[in-house]
Amino acid sequence: MSIKIENLTHIYNPSSPFETTALDNISFEVTEGEFIGLIGHTGSGKSTLIQHLNGLLKPTKGKILINQVDITSKDVKLQDIRKNVGLVFQYPEHQLFEETVYKDIAFGPANLGLNEEEIKARVVEAMDLVRLPFQELRDRSPFELSGGQRRRVAIAGVLAMKPNILILDEPTAGLDPKGRDEILEQIKSLHQQVQNTVILVSHSMEDIAKLVDRIIVMHKGKVSLIGKPTQVFKEVEVLESIGLGIPQITYLMKMLKENNIKLREDILTIEEAKAEIINWIRGNKNA
Ligand code: ATP
Ligand code: MG
């Protein structure tokens, strides 16, 4: 499913001493099946933006079209939006509330009106996607699990709705590097399997650089940069001026180039850099 955002403005507490313009006339489009990384400093408006995409927040001004349907119109039911747009909140484990893992993950599918058999199939599949053992954990209380496991239960609850658009707000925040890499790997692998539209909110360029098709950089409620990772990383000065860097490996490749070591410029991962540097050394030996 595609997303089109037109001139979206959101003002919290308008006409009060606490008035904050969190989104300031934002426009962009996401095509069906795209994987987008949304990045920006604390308070830049990322969470405010994505909460508009499932109808949780209403625009002060502007429109949001999902598959050409304006979801801000009064005729559109929230339930219909949420069938299509799955939103995993920041620290989603804080919202677990059922007494078992099974019931928590089944909550969304049950609300879709599916039968028991179909609900169970959805729970099994969602737990498998986030690598949680079904038999072992189904009857456990979410509150007995580790932080990382609780996070996975919460993500599974959204995946079990099989949303066409999956939005995740900092899904790896607070996890150790292993947990972080696993969750990102699972999101990527699901995207490759089903070609869903994904928006992944992150603070970390390193994390998103190697995953996404395009990056949207937000700054003070506006879109500051938008493009393929290699295009966005060319704007080092802009990124640094708003407190974001480029991945360490991209800095290294830039530095080598400045020293007349000619390498490809579109390198985003350590593996690619290694291959490119080895190639360069071999080429030089033969020269
Ligand atoms: P973070 O990286 O810390 O999660 P963010 O990019 O998600 O930040 P938002 O949470 O969207 O940023 O906040 C954007 C602006 O809106 C900030 O100035 C914030 O203080 C303000 N804001 C967010 N939520 C509310 C609210 N419920 N009421 C009033 N102001 C809010
Ligand atoms: Mg946020």
Side-chain angles (χ1 to χ4, degrees):
M1 285 191 144
S2 63
I3 304 169
K4 187 171 186 188
I5 296 184
E6 288 179 1
N7 306 105
L8 177 61
T9 292
H10 189 89
I11 303 176
Y12 286 109
N13 309 310
S15 316
S16 85
F18 305 105
E19 179 171 308
T20 309
T21 303
L23 299 175
D24 186 2
N25 200 26
I26 284 187
S27 301
F28 65 86
E29 285 182 50
V30 176
T31 54
E32 166 141 22
E34 234 188 332
F35 195 149
I36 297 284
L38 183 62
I39 195 159
H41 219 260
T42 292
S44 58
K46 305 180 296 295
S47 297
T48 304
L49 172 62
I50 58 172
Q51 288 175 63
H52 281 81
L53 299 177
N54 80 341
L56 206 65
L57 287 177
K58 293 270 174 244
T60 306
K61 274 190 219 131
K63 275 188 189 170
I64 297 136
L65 299 132
I66 293 193
N67 265 6
Q68 283 93 43
V69 175
D70 181 359
I71 64 161
T72 57
S73 123
K74 287 196 191 77
D75 312 330
V76 177
K77 289 202 203 93
L78 274 184
Q79 208 190 358
D80 290 333
I81 305 172
R82 290 184 191 158
K83 248 186 235 169
N84 292 314
V85 183
L87 177 55
V88 178
F89 290 95
Q90 267 177 301
Y91 297 100
E93 61 275 21
H94 295 166
Q95 293 177 347
L96 299 173
F97 63 97
E98 292 281 7
E99 69 253 40
T100 68
V101 167
Y102 185 97
K103 283 188 185 168
D104 232 306
I105 301 173
F107 180 79
N111 273 346
L112 293 178
L114 303 172
N115 65 37
E116 268 314 311
E117 203 180 326
E118 177 72 4
I119 293 172
K120 184 176 176 199
R122 295 271 188 117
V123 176
V124 169
E125 191 184 350
M127 287 182 73
D128 189 46
L129 280 169
V130 296
R131 313 276 186 277
L132 287 173
F134 177 76
Q135 288 304 343
E136 195 184 319
L137 296 184
R138 58 175 295 173
D139 295 323
R140 297 271 295 277
S141 158
F143 304 100
E144 293 167 10
L145 308 181
S146 74
Q149 284 177 321
R150 281 206 298 274
R151 175 80 50 94
R152 282 159 202 265
V153 172
I155 295 175
V158 172
L159 295 181
M161 305 274 288
K162 292 189 187 267
N164 289 304
I165 299 176
L166 176 64
I167 304 174
L168 304 114
D169 199 349
E170 305 248 12
T172 60
L175 299 181
D176 60 25
K178 184 164 165 277
R180 187 181 70 203
D181 289 348
E182 280 171 4
I183 289 206
L184 293 176
E185 192 48 53
Q186 287 150 15
I187 295 165
K188 179 178 159 192
S189 139
L190 174 68
H191 172 70
Q192 284 171 340
Q193 280 170 45
V194 303
Q195 291 299 308
N196 52 352
T197 307
V198 183
I199 300 183
L200 176 69
V201 176
S202 175
H203 265 99
S204 161
M205 282 290 191
E206 315 273 355
D207 280 357
I208 62 170
K210 48 194 177 214
L211 283 178
V212 305
D213 299 315
R214 281 195 301 156
I215 294 178
I216 297 176
V217 180
M218 291 192 63
H219 181 53
K220 294 191 175 161
K222 290 187 192 301
V223 171
S224 141
L225 294 168
I226 183 163
K228 290 194 165 64
T230 48
Q231 291 167 332
V232 167
F233 295 154
K234 284 190 185 136
E235 307 292 331
V236 184
E237 274 117 61
V238 179
L239 291 170
E240 285 180 343
S241 74
I242 60 180
L244 296 167
I246 56 178
Q248 290 292 331
I249 195 67
T250 316
Y251 273 117
L252 175 69
M253 299 313 274
K254 254 181 132 55
M255 212 173 74
L256 291 173
K257 190 174 163 239
E258 280 157 17
N259 284 284
N260 277 328
I261 297 177
K262 294 206 174 54
L263 300 170
R264 262 171 52 210
E265 279 188 63
D266 56 345
I267 302 251
L268 300 173
T269 68
I270 295 184
E271 292 73 36
E272 283 177 316
K274 181 177 152 194
E276 186 69 7
I277 292 170
I278 291 175
N279 253 343
W280 181 82
I281 294 171
R282 290 209 177 113
N284 264 6
K285 266 192 198 153
N286 299 337

